[in-house]
Amino acid sequence: MSKSRGYSVREVVIDGNNLRLEDAIDLSKGMARAVISDKSLNEMSASRLAVEQIIQSDKVVYGINTGFGAMSKVRIDGGDLEDLQTNLIRSHACGVGESMSPEHVLLMMVFRANSLAKGVSGIRPEIVQMLLDMVNSGIAPVVPRIGSLGASGDLAPLSHMSLSLLGESECMVRTDSGWELLPSDIALSQIGLIPVKLQAKEGLSLINGTSQMCAYLAITLLNLEKLVMGADASAACSIEAIRGSHAPFDNRIHNNRAHRGQSISAARISQFVANSEINESHVDCDRVQDAYCFRCAPQVHGPVIDLLFETRRMLEIEINSATDNPLVFVNNDSADVVSGGNFHGQNLALASDSIAIACHELASISERRINQILDPNWSGQNAFLAKTEGLESGYMIIQYVAAACISELHLLANSTTISNVPVSMGKEDHVSMGATGTYRSMMATQLLSQVLANELICSTEAINRISERPGDGVSRIVSWVRQHSRPFDGDRVMSSECESLSNDLLDGGLQSIFE
């Protein structure tokens, strides 16, 4: 444990191999402190020595003493190598659009530092330490969001990040009262750091990686892991709200189609509705089968769970990978500098496309359940849960808002991966557009959270009007929802209630009531 801003925080070891997503998030939020392992320091020093030996020799090696991209055949004189790196950062720092959130920038810095800590990038350890000192002190460079093509690395965003190491541009600094905008050199001086002069290859090592994509996909993944449980919870509440059948969640059904995610979803819904008096009171009900949005919930939610398992596996490999180019491999007294394409974000881009579709599907089936709760033909309650039909609109427009969110999700579900644009005079002729895709998917999770929140508000109101007690888990969920949305007592403005519940879904409030 170490001290940070006056209190003790746990330490997270950065070694390029063992970083967990949750630890990286904690670092970005100032809830933990990063320290570099001794092994990583030694390996970074060895790869840096190999770069310096190449500079002293007559060898021409891409990324060390050449131009970049389409100008890779241009040799740069030794006396110009530092200027080459500075020019690289400045010329590539031409991003546009809104600024990234400071915490997202800090998360990007954590991933970049961890990648460099693998010790095959030829960068000085003190540069990586400086990145982590900034993270530990809550100093986030101002980074325009738009500019990466998801291949050749997240060049523009990471260049804006790197400007602050040079003492250029501006930073957002975390304070007790929020974020403060300061010139980079002043922000650095406040924690005893001085701007650096990048040496050969170091600028390229800093900007040639998948760190922005990883940051956005990490947040997306953690959001959706919470929301898929929220989807199961909202489905369970809606089943109780319409007095639906519990039979579709019988484990015998799912054992005979043994997809892992489907079984998890069905078991979770079944657990939520267990010991339901509502279900017991309708044992002899003449309703044989419910609509697909109830009966097939595990079959729709389950594939999303499977997708999340695979995405987490892939992303945890990615954040512990060297994703710049070229890489420096040291073997005893010799070293090889090898060019490749680890900067290409196709894996992240494809996952982001799938997640965007998944968010649409979870929202779409949720809205169908809202429709049935508000329809007297299914719920047996007043239309739109109004108390005085006609005079009041009840929750009519809550469904409209869910439908509007789905329309936006429909647009966001379009693939970004297939929008390849060749650049750099055809040298970089296939890119992933993963930065666009991962950011898009993060936004999709926020829209999904609102649809699920709207469903939970409607189902909670309907359940409260049923005399029998719902399942044990549903009862706890209803109590949690009521912390954000009070019972219907007439038409009122509900935006703040819907948004409050949506935000708590993303913050893990639902999970907390079952811990």
Side-chain angles (χ1 to χ4, degrees):
M1 302 293 282
S2 61
K3 295 286 184 178
S4 177
R5 298 198 305 277
Y7 54 89
S8 296
V9 294
R10 66 186 182 90
E11 291 185 343
V12 173
V13 176
I14 299 297
D15 62 6
N17 296 295
N18 297 294
L19 182 63
R20 297 174 60 252
L21 293 175
E22 287 80 4
D23 288 338
I25 293 289
D26 284 352
L27 288 169
S28 72
K29 292 181 176 180
M31 298 169 60
R33 184 174 182 82
V35 294
I36 304 176
S37 74
D38 291 340
K39 184 173 184 290
S40 288
L41 291 172
N42 292 333
E43 290 175 345
M44 284 189 283
S45 296
S47 72
R48 182 62 206 172
L49 178 60
V51 169
E52 292 171 353
Q53 290 172 342
I54 289 171
I55 295 169
Q56 294 167 6
S57 72
D58 292 328
K59 294 180 181 178
V60 178
V61 179
Y62 171 72
I64 295 178
N65 50 15
T66 70
F68 308 108
M71 295 181 287
S72 61
K73 293 182 179 179
V74 179
R75 179 170 183 172
I76 309 300
D77 291 335
D80 294 329
L81 293 181
E82 290 187 357
D83 288 341
L84 173 69
Q85 299 302 308
T86 301
N87 289 343
L88 175 71
I89 299 300
R90 288 175 180 160
S91 66
H92 287 41
C94 55
V96 297
E98 74 277 16
S99 295
M100 292 177 64
S101 158
E103 285 188 358
H104 296 170
V105 174
L106 292 171
L107 182 59
M108 180 172 74
M109 294 167 71
V110 171
F111 289 148
R112 193 78 226 108
N114 192 61
S115 178
L116 297 172
K118 288 190 77 70
V120 292
S121 299
I123 193 169
R124 286 173 291 165
E126 50 263 42
I127 304 298
V128 181
Q129 183 62 62
M130 187 174 183
L131 271 177
L132 294 176
D133 286 343
M134 293 172 70
V135 171
N136 290 338
S137 300
I139 299 176
V142 173
V143 178
R145 180 181 65 81
I146 300 171
S148 170
L149 302 184
S152 304
D154 295 317
L155 295 174
L158 290 171
S159 292
H160 283 278
M161 176 201 78
S162 301
L163 280 177
S164 292
L165 298 176
L166 308 180
E168 300 180 15
S169 191
E170 295 175 313
C171 291
M172 298 296 292
V173 180
R174 184 188 282 123
T175 70
D176 292 338
S177 57
W179 293 94
E180 179 183 3
L181 181 65
L182 290 175
S184 294
D185 56 346
I186 294 176
L188 293 177
S189 68
Q190 289 183 346
I191 60 170
L193 296 178
I194 59 174
V196 298
K197 183 75 171 177
L198 296 177
Q199 298 179 8
K201 196 186 180 297
E202 291 183 328
L204 189 60
S205 296
L206 284 167
I207 70 174
N208 197 207
T210 61
S211 307
Q212 185 192 38
M213 289 181 275
C214 285
Y216 283 139
L217 190 58
I219 296 162
T220 299
L221 176 69
L222 295 174
N223 281 352
L224 193 52
E225 286 179 343
K226 300 183 187 84
L227 294 177
V228 76
M229 178 179 174
D232 289 338
S234 61
C237 289
S238 295
I239 289 161
E240 296 288 72
I242 67 157
R243 301 177 175 88
S245 172
H246 294 186
F249 314 105
D250 188 314
N251 69 324
R252 291 171 294 183
I253 294 173
H254 306 285
N255 287 343
N256 281 281
R257 194 194 192 200
H259 293 296
R260 182 182 183 186
Q262 178 178 323
S263 295
I264 290 171
S265 176
R268 195 149 53 195
I269 294 171
S270 183
Q271 185 177 19
F272 287 147
V273 299
N275 302 316
S276 167
E277 292 180 359
I278 295 175
N279 185 62
E280 292 174 2
S281 70
H282 288 77
V283 170
D284 298 322
C285 178
D286 60 0
R287 185 187 297 174
V288 177
Q289 290 185 328
D290 295 318
Y292 284 3
C293 60
F294 298 100
R295 186 174 11 137
C296 300
Q299 288 80 2
V300 175
H301 299 184
V304 181
I305 296 172
D306 290 333
L307 171 63
L308 291 175
F309 278 126
E310 173 57 22
T311 302
R312 178 176 275 269
R313 183 199 67 80
M314 178 273 294
L315 184 55
E316 288 187 337
I317 291 173
E318 187 73 11
I319 66 172
N320 288 289
S321 297
T323 56
D324 55 303
N325 178 61
L327 297 178
V328 182
F329 301 109
V330 178
N331 183 20
N332 297 323
D333 294 330
S334 65
D336 293 323
V337 180
V338 184
S339 289
N342 277 1
F343 48 68
H344 202 296
Q346 191 76 17
N347 49 355
L348 304 164
L350 288 173
S352 78
D353 278 354
S354 296
I355 286 175
I357 294 170
C359 287
H360 177 274
E361 292 305 286
L362 291 180
S364 177
I365 197 170
S366 172
E367 184 277 331
R368 289 293 79 200
R369 294 191 293 260
I370 294 174
N371 179 71
Q372 295 219 2
I373 295 167
L374 301 182
D375 185 343
N377 293 320
W378 288 97
S379 69
Q381 306 212 29
N382 289 352
F384 308 112
L385 300 178
K387 291 197 171 178
T388 306
E389 294 183 23
L391 177 63
E392 297 171 338
S393 294
Y395 291 163
M396 177 192 296
I397 307 304
I398 283 185
Q399 181 189 9
Y400 286 39
V401 173
C405 289
I406 290 169
S407 181
E408 298 215 11
L409 283 163
H410 184 199
L411 289 173
L412 294 175
N414 287 291
S415 173
T416 62
T417 306
I418 61 175
S419 60
N420 177 58
V421 179
V423 294
S424 196
M425 296 191 291
K427 186 74 173 284
E428 299 168 11
D429 59 351
H430 184 277
V431 297
S432 76
M433 298 300 180
T436 304
T438 53
Y439 176 78
R440 170 275 320 265
S441 297
M442 183 182 71
M443 300 305 295
T445 62
Q446 295 174 6
L447 288 164
L448 170 60
S449 72
Q450 192 60 73
V451 176
L452 294 175
N454 286 13
E455 180 186 358
L456 285 162
I457 287 172
C458 292
S459 61
T460 291
E461 181 62 31
I463 289 169
N464 283 165
R465 300 184 191 184
I466 297 173
S467 59
E468 295 88 3
R469 185 179 58 80
D472 294 342
V474 170
S475 295
R476 295 168 72 176
I477 296 165
V478 166
S479 296
W480 170 66
V481 172
R482 282 291 177 237
Q483 296 174 21
H484 299 275
S485 179
R486 58 187 173 86
F488 183 84
D489 55 2
D491 287 343
R492 65 179 186 270
V493 177
M494 295 194 65
S495 292
S496 61
E497 296 177 34
C498 295
E499 290 181 344
S500 175
L501 183 57
S502 167
N503 290 335
D504 204 19
L505 270 170
L506 289 171
D507 288 342
L510 176 62
Q511 282 77 4
S512 68
I513 69 174
F514 290 101
E515 290 177 350

